[in-house]
Amino acid sequence: MNAPSVATREAYDDLVERLQHHAYRYYVLDDPEISDAEYDRLYRELLSAEEEHPDWVRDDSPSRRVGAPPREGFETIEHTIPMQSLANAIQRDEIEEWLERARSYVGDPELDPELVLEPKMDGAAVELVYRDGVFTVGSTRGDGRVGEVITENLETIRNVPLRLRDEVEVPKLLEVRGEVIVATENFGRLNRALTEEGAEPYANPRNFAAGSLRLLDSRITAKRPLEIRVYGIGSIEGPSFATHRDVLAYLTQLGFRVSDRIEVVRGIDAVQRYYDELARDRDDGDYEVDGVVVKVNDLALRERLGSRSKSPRWAIAYKFPARQETTKLLDIGLQIGRTGAVTPVAFLAPVSVGGVEISRATLHNADEVERLGIRIGDTVVVERAGDVIPKVVKAITAGRDGSEREWSMPEACPVCSSELRREQDGVVFYCPNSTCRSRIQESLRHFVSKGALDIDGLGTKLIEQLVEQELVKDFADLFRLDVETLSSLERMGEKSATNLAAALKASMRPSLDRLLFGLGIRHVGERVARILAERFEGLDDLAKATQEELEAIHEIGPIVAASVVEYFANDANRELIRELEACGVEPQPVEGRKSAGVFSGKTVVFTGTLESLTRKEAQRIVQSQGGKASSSVSGKTDLVVVGAEAGSKAEKAEKLGVRIVSEEEFRRMAESESIE
Ligand code: IVH
């Protein structure tokens, strides 16, 4: 559907403001007034208006949140007021001592100040500078004095206001401080996607937030589900306040989101009660919280208390116990993944870490075991943070009694006895046998999982039985199962068997992206699968794609492209796809498929100096729209784009009768549907 056009500048402004309002309801208040679909419709209307009238585009348009092309590095900026850190306490006594010190510092033994309690969010600290209500500069905390300028990345965060709401007095200058965080659930999902794609996952949500903010390409940051919660201000030229609570209320009115668990209390008992409640909810929270920040509410009193060199006297962090515990390493086993990758797993004496009982933890790979110097029987430190799989972080060697055993990677797969191999130059060992029972089971588990075919009622135990009894050897066999066979399985009643057969049948028309993800092609995670499905109508089309064609797709790099080509070049895989089709599996093209791009199959040459684009950017545009950028003109060239002072290439093009266009025409082509 084509979005209706926005005819006037006023209508455009109105649309920007409506979208801002709804984004605020959604991302800041968490209380939307319209459906997501309605929002998307308005947003598309905005995009088409901006495409038609590039001169209308406002600095605070929601479309600016998509990110800008990569930069070389970050500039630095000195914070006008240093961003200090907080002194830590881990016990109630220390909070008491902190209050006592405050009393003696101001010389008032009776002092019982109001205290604001806030969750201590575990993310990345940032500062946002607004001039006359407009977001102008954003930076990391850095070393507290000097931070890095990451404005473009911060602009992509949906609840960072690009312009302040003006229902209250808008300050001339405002420096807002807050924490950029990622919801634990999103962190887990994205980290898994990164791993699938062969990228290095982040160790915890904090690293994820900090890492995403420091990406040089803000278009990638734009895709990361980051959020901000603000907790204070630096300098302000505007209204003044009596309390911290008032500052937070004002920030909320300006359009910022603050933590939703703020309380104002007096006395240690109330602090302890809040701490206990927050600690109890720690595992169910939307994001990682590593303690409570206790702050003096009265700003005049804060002034009197002042700061020590690194941290203020008016606040303290009351930290939760670390999510680390020690326990005994009972044994080390191996897990064989669907790609054959072998992961050593630690079997542990059960221990509660941050409230969850742990008896297994990953050891990642053989090199890691060696690096940690771990022996079976050792006391080890295990860590669990947020959605992260528990891991062993170190061995405590002091208490060894000589009974500990060293471990080394076995030579054979414990499941199928094939000789394990080591990836070239890699740290990962793998089982090369594609019919290894463990590999088949894990592939099937992946194939039926939520992001793939999402087949209800096919749990791990059932898959194990199906594989052990050789009823299922590959994906296609799943669709050959009938109610009779299924009900002959252990713990499978007639009713569950009927349900499962129905679920299998219902999953035979998956969308192409889900099927692609389910096949388990290396480096093809959910995101890549989606990108491919947006370009190709079906598996046959994709199977024919060349390395170059795949690489020309924006966001598909050479590694992913090679892996896709390799997958479809393999006879066994092609046979598997034929089998799936023979069983009646019919992948459906995804909605919103993108056409191949206006430069599809065309070779474009640039010559002379371009004004509005760098040569790299221009070439990237051609590639992202299916074309090839070349440096020399020949009979195969389809288009030559001439900039200022173009030389012999333009002449040659003319001789060969190749179409020549100006930079401006090129830009118009890139934005149009076709170049004919
Ligand atoms: S107030 C003078 N409030 O903790 C410092 N900080 O160790 C004032 N943090 O770098 C900081 N949640 O990144 C404050 N509700 C909160 C916070 C918070 C997380 C972080 C912040 C800061 C670090 C201080």
Side-chain angles (χ1 to χ4, degrees):
M1 189 187 72
N2 258 342
S5 65
V6 176
T8 63
R9 178 73 208 240
E10 286 70 40
Y12 168 76
D13 282 340
D14 180 60
L15 183 58
V16 169
E17 277 147 36
R18 264 159 59 211
L19 278 161
Q20 280 171 345
H21 169 78
H22 291 303
Y24 171 70
R25 301 281 322 183
Y26 186 91
Y27 292 110
V28 181
L29 302 184
D30 217 354
D31 183 18
E33 289 172 342
I34 57 173
S35 68
D36 292 1
E38 176 68 6
Y39 184 87
D40 284 347
R41 200 182 59 72
L42 292 175
Y43 187 71
R44 279 202 303 272
E45 227 173 277
L46 176 87
L47 292 185
S48 76
E50 294 187 341
E51 205 175 296
E52 244 171 86
H53 306 280
D55 53 315
W56 287 358
V57 181
R58 286 173 31 165
D59 278 354
D60 60 342
S61 163
S63 67
R64 295 244 333 216
R65 304 218 192 246
V66 294
R71 37 169 63 251
E72 304 278 323
F74 297 108
E75 283 161 31
T76 54
I77 188 170
E78 189 165 342
H79 302 295
T80 48
I81 300 177
M83 294 178 75
Q84 291 190 301
S85 52
L86 292 167
N88 284 339
I90 50 166
Q91 315 186 55
R92 183 187 162 113
D93 289 0
E94 294 171 279
I95 301 294
E96 215 134 2
E97 284 161 21
W98 166 73
L99 254 186
E100 204 39 61
R101 278 198 303 275
R103 288 187 186 112
S104 77
Y105 193 81
V106 295
D108 176 1
E110 302 295 306
L111 182 73
D112 181 18
E114 268 190 338
L115 301 170
V116 182
L117 307 177
E118 298 171 16
K120 184 170 190 307
M121 294 158 287
D122 202 7
V126 297
E127 178 166 81
L128 314 167
V129 182
Y130 290 80
R131 291 187 188 277
D132 294 316
V134 178
F135 177 43
T136 44
V137 179
S139 53
T140 62
R141 173 174 179 271
D143 63 3
R145 194 180 65 82
V146 175
E148 284 176 312
V149 177
I150 50 162
T151 317
E152 281 171 356
N153 287 347
L154 286 166
E155 274 174 351
T156 68
I157 301 178
R158 301 299 190 272
N159 62 3
V160 166
L162 300 178
R163 178 185 293 275
L164 301 178
R165 297 172 67 79
D166 54 8
E167 282 153 25
V168 284
E169 180 188 341
V170 172
K172 200 142 181 49
L173 168 76
L174 176 68
E175 294 170 0
V176 185
R177 287 161 180 198
E179 198 83 354
V180 172
I181 51 177
V182 58
T184 318
E185 189 189 334
N186 289 331
F187 164 70
R189 193 168 46 75
L190 259 128
N191 234 8
R192 280 191 293 277
L194 287 175
T195 318
E196 292 279 352
E197 288 165 25
E200 202 47 43
Y202 291 94
N204 52 47
R206 180 185 51 234
N207 289 3
F208 180 92
S212 302
L213 285 178
R214 296 190 68 259
L215 289 170
L216 293 171
D217 188 342
S218 58
R219 292 170 302 197
I220 304 177
T221 311
K223 300 212 172 80
R224 303 265 171 102
L226 301 174
E227 298 176 45
I228 193 169
R229 297 289 182 279
V230 303
Y231 52 67
I233 58 178
S235 348
I236 177 168
E237 283 170 37
S240 50
F241 302 94
T243 66
H244 177 60
R245 193 77 193 86
D246 291 346
V247 171
L248 295 180
Y250 177 65
L251 290 174
T252 309
Q253 286 169 315
L254 290 175
F256 294 99
R257 182 148 181 184
V258 300
S259 164
D260 37 22
R261 281 188 84 146
I262 295 170
E263 281 187 32
V264 184
V265 303
R266 262 184 233 274
I268 302 288
D269 288 344
V271 174
Q272 187 62 43
R273 182 189 44 74
Y274 177 93
Y275 175 94
D276 292 340
E277 277 171 21
L278 202 65
R280 191 196 58 210
D281 298 345
R282 185 180 184 190
D283 277 321
D284 305 326
D286 291 340
Y287 48 85
E288 272 295 298
V289 167
D290 59 349
V292 175
V293 185
V294 185
K295 301 176 181 176
V296 167
N297 192 23
D298 182 342
L299 298 182
L301 177 56
R302 277 196 190 183
E303 278 294 304
R304 283 166 61 203
L305 285 165
S307 276
R308 298 192 306 177
S309 67
K310 292 230 174 63
S311 54
R313 288 191 192 85
W314 48 261
I316 190 160
Y318 188 3
K319 302 260 286 195
F320 291 147
R323 295 200 192 245
Q324 277 192 348
E325 281 303 334
T326 55
T327 187
K328 207 170 166 85
L329 175 64
L330 303 176
D331 202 356
I332 296 179
L334 293 184
Q335 213 169 352
I336 320 294
R338 64 187 159 85
T339 58
V342 177
T343 312
V345 182
F347 296 108
L348 306 162
V351 59
S352 167
V353 184
V356 172
E357 184 152 292
I358 305 289
S359 56
R360 301 167 127 229
T362 177
L363 284 161
H364 298 294
N365 53 55
D367 281 12
E368 175 78 355
V369 180
E370 196 172 320
R371 189 184 67 79
L372 295 170
I374 299 192
R375 296 186 193 162
I376 296 169
D378 267 345
T379 297
V380 293
V381 177
V382 287
E383 181 181 271
R384 187 183 68 86
D387 205 17
V388 180
I389 307 162
K391 60 180 177 193
V392 174
V393 291
K394 72 172 185 207
I396 298 173
T397 50
R400 281 185 181 160
D401 62 8
S403 68
E404 298 78 13
R405 285 182 289 130
E406 280 194 38
W407 178 87
S408 60
M409 184 59 101
E411 287 182 359
C413 170
V415 179
C416 71
S417 308
S418 304
E419 193 183 330
L420 296 180
R421 304 225 178 112
R422 195 169 186 144
E423 242 178 20
Q424 241 181 357
D425 313 323
V427 289
V428 178
F429 280 85
Y430 66 98
C431 167
N433 171 13
S434 63
T435 60
C436 170
R437 197 160 34 79
S438 180
R439 286 187 63 173
I440 296 177
Q441 278 169 15
E442 291 301 313
S443 305
L444 288 165
R445 255 169 39 137
H446 175 75
F447 188 70
V448 305
S449 70
K450 272 228 150 358
L453 265 68
D454 192 15
I455 301 174
D456 256 357
L458 245 184
T460 307
K461 286 262 155 3
L462 203 54
I463 291 179
E464 269 174 30
Q465 278 192 65
L466 289 168
V467 176
E468 260 163 36
Q469 300 184 21
E470 298 191 1
L471 292 167
V472 173
K473 290 198 227 37
D474 60 30
F475 304 145
D477 287 341
L478 282 177
F479 300 101
R480 299 193 180 101
L481 293 167
D482 53 25
V483 178
E484 201 184 325
T485 319
L486 286 171
S487 42
S488 72
L489 296 168
E490 239 174 79
R491 278 183 293 167
M492 214 24 180
E494 176 90 28
K495 179 135 193 287
S496 333
T498 315
N499 288 345
L500 178 53
L504 281 163
K505 198 158 176 49
S507 68
M508 287 166 77
R509 291 167 64 82
S511 59
L512 179 60
D513 56 332
R514 282 174 170 269
L515 181 63
L516 273 177
F517 174 58
L519 289 176
I521 303 170
R522 258 188 110 197
H523 303 307
V524 179
E526 279 180 277
R527 200 175 62 87
V528 170
R530 176 84 208 170
I531 295 169
L532 293 173
E534 280 173 358
R535 272 295 149 84
F536 298 92
E537 191 167 0
L539 289 175
D540 290 347
D541 285 353
L542 179 59
K544 281 189 221 125
T546 62
Q547 172 88 16
E548 291 74 41
E549 279 165 341
L550 289 165
E551 274 189 55
I553 301 173
H554 186 50
E555 292 188 289
I556 302 285
I559 296 176
V560 175
S563 168
V564 172
V565 171
E566 192 184 329
Y567 181 87
F568 288 103
N570 179 307
D571 287 342
N573 294 333
R574 280 213 303 271
E575 177 58 24
L576 172 66
I577 287 165
R578 265 198 297 279
E579 289 280 314
L580 279 171
E581 281 166 358
C583 294
V585 176
E586 250 181 88
Q588 305 297 305
V590 298
E591 270 176 43
R593 270 184 0 96
K594 295 190 179 66
S595 63
V598 291
F599 299 115
S600 175
K602 304 262 190 274
T603 302
V604 183
V605 174
F606 294 91
T607 173
T609 315
L610 302 180
E611 232 170 56
S612 63
L613 298 162
T614 65
R615 186 64 68 87
K616 261 227 153 57
E617 281 165 355
Q619 291 171 344
R620 186 86 211 157
I621 290 177
V622 171
Q623 284 160 359
S624 73
Q625 303 218 38
K628 204 171 112 194
S630 163
S631 54
S632 60
V633 177
S634 74
K636 289 195 191 125
T637 311
D638 296 287
L639 194 67
V640 173
V641 182
V642 292
E645 287 159 42
S648 60
K649 285 185 203 170
E651 282 165 29
K652 185 162 179 200
E654 212 159 333
K655 269 199 208 125
L656 289 169
V658 176
R659 182 167 173 199
I660 300 178
V661 296
S662 67
E663 178 178 348
E664 211 188 316
E665 269 173 278
F666 166 73
R667 293 193 60 126
R668 231 177 295 129
M669 282 176 173
E671 280 158 22
S672 64
E673 301 274 314
S674 120
I675 65 170
E676 304 312 330

